[in-house]
Amino acid sequence: MSALNALQSKTDTAQPGTTAWWLVFKRELVELWIGGRALNLLILFSVLMSITAFLLATNSELSLFQAQHVLFLTLQANITFGLFIGLIIAAESISGERERATLEALLLTPTSRKHIVLGKYLAAFSLWPAAFILSIPYMAVLARGEPVLGQALLWGALVGSIPAAAYTALGMIVSVKSNSSRTSLFISLLIYLLSLLPGQLPGEAQARPIGVLLQAVNPLESARQFLQRVLSDGKPLNEVLIYGVAPVLVTALIIGVLFVYAAPRLNLEIVQGAPQK
């Protein structure tokens, strides 16, 4: 409660609508990083990446592939694990406040719901760049000195940020509409698992128009398809444009739903009614 009291005292003196989201963002960063939740998830991420890198380095069949294919597989694991930890934090961000009975004090601060959600969203998203930075040493080792490492890092940072932003927003939407962390985490994990299914479709199904569309509108799968075709297969950008444009539009739509629909309806309890300012 001391952090909430400090936030409330700061927002009392801050200019309304200008710095409130920044104060929420800093408060969330302190709780995430100093409190240890982010560190614990990044340790889990490092363990998963270590296992992945070890399997890639010791697999005799993969050793015959070029470095760009191995880097693609590493980036695929990095994005899959990285957005997962951001989703977990986002899914607990609002519903956790309800369970701990700290949301009321936060809502009483003189700031809009949108600024509260924005600060929490940016804090949850902060785990993605940290996870990507942690994966750089793994990719550097697996690159085996090939110059393709720079291209892999560039595309990985740009393309990986799209699904990370989308799934963080999805987690927050679920959290805003959930009364408990257990519910929001379950729904978010279900969405995450369902998003992995298009990549398990048979090759013929993936090549059909409906299969291509399902992969393109799924930010996680579209990132995988884009990286595979550009980095591993060496395809020109004009041949994979759908896997670059479609996920951006879908991500923008999800973020729009978060701030236009869900954020104004942030309440102490899940109730039906008009949005509050």
Side-chain angles (χ1 to χ4, degrees), residues 28-38:
E28 291 295 312
L29 282 183
V30 170
E31 290 191 356
L32 275 176
W33 294 93
I34 305 301
R37 283 191 297 162

Side-chain angles (χ1 to χ4, degrees), residues 110-124:
T111 183
S112 69
R113 264 70 167 165
K114 289 183 180 180
H115 281 88
I116 294 174
V117 172
L118 176 60
K120 286 179 168 289
Y121 174 81
L122 293 176

